Amino acid sequence: MHEMSIALAVVGQVEEAAEAGGAAGVDSVTLQVGELAGVVPESLQFCFALACEGTLLHGAALRTEQVPGRARCVPCARQWPTGMPPQLSCERCGGATTELLSGRELQILTVHWAESPQHEPVVKEP
């Protein structure tokens, strides 16, 4: 389940930014997740909640923005939605030289900072 490593990385990056900016906490995080990124949204939600425990993100909501997969045939320039499982060869010319235009995204889009802490402050041991 690589969703836990993704959740831990997101929490780490957001917590670092929150501490650097003096934020009291985090209300929500929005991630852009491509259809072809291999991420199961329900698993990511579950892992995110676990990863937030004991951090400045405790209680933060995770929102995801899905990005559909799109491909383009290099020889004939036809574009199409890839779907799942992805269709990566061109139906028009049979070309197998495909460029993925979207669908692999996995990035933090927005973070909404909290006005006050969501929980008791976390004391980190040196």
Side-chain angles (χ1 to χ4, degrees), residues 21-98:
V26 177
D27 283 332
S28 67
V29 176
T30 303
L31 294 182
Q32 189 175 50
V33 181
E35 177 181 33
L36 305 174
V39 175
V40 177
E42 296 80 14
S43 294
L44 184 57
Q45 286 283 346
F46 177 77
C47 292
F48 182 79
L50 291 176
C52 288
E53 290 295 321
T55 72
L56 285 173
L57 283 84
H58 179 84
L62 176 65
R63 296 184 175 90
T64 57
E65 179 181 292
Q66 298 295 314
V67 179
R70 288 202 55 81
R72 182 178 74 81
C73 177
V74 174
C76 76
R78 176 182 171 264
Q79 293 186 19
W80 67 92
T82 60
M84 280 305 282
Q87 169 62 36
L88 299 177
S89 59
C90 182
E91 292 178 353
R92 180 189 300 159
C93 73
T97 308
T98 302

Side-chain angles (χ1 to χ4, degrees), residues 88-123:
L88 299 177
S89 59
C90 182
E91 292 178 353
R92 180 189 300 159
C93 73
T97 308
T98 302
E99 175 185 14
L100 284 175
L101 302 174
S102 66
R104 294 182 291 176
E105 296 81 358
L106 185 56
Q107 62 184 357
I108 299 169
L109 279 184
T110 61
V111 177
H112 290 186
W113 307 113
E115 298 280 328
S116 59
Q118 304 269 345
H119 60 90
E120 291 298 314
V122 176
V123 179

Side-chain angles (χ1 to χ4, degrees), residues 2-13 44 47-48 50-52:
H2 70 281
E3 284 82 358
M4 182 55 88
S5 62
I6 293 168
L8 289 169
V10 169
V11 168
Q13 290 177 13
L44 184 57
C47 292
F48 182 79
L50 291 176
C52 288

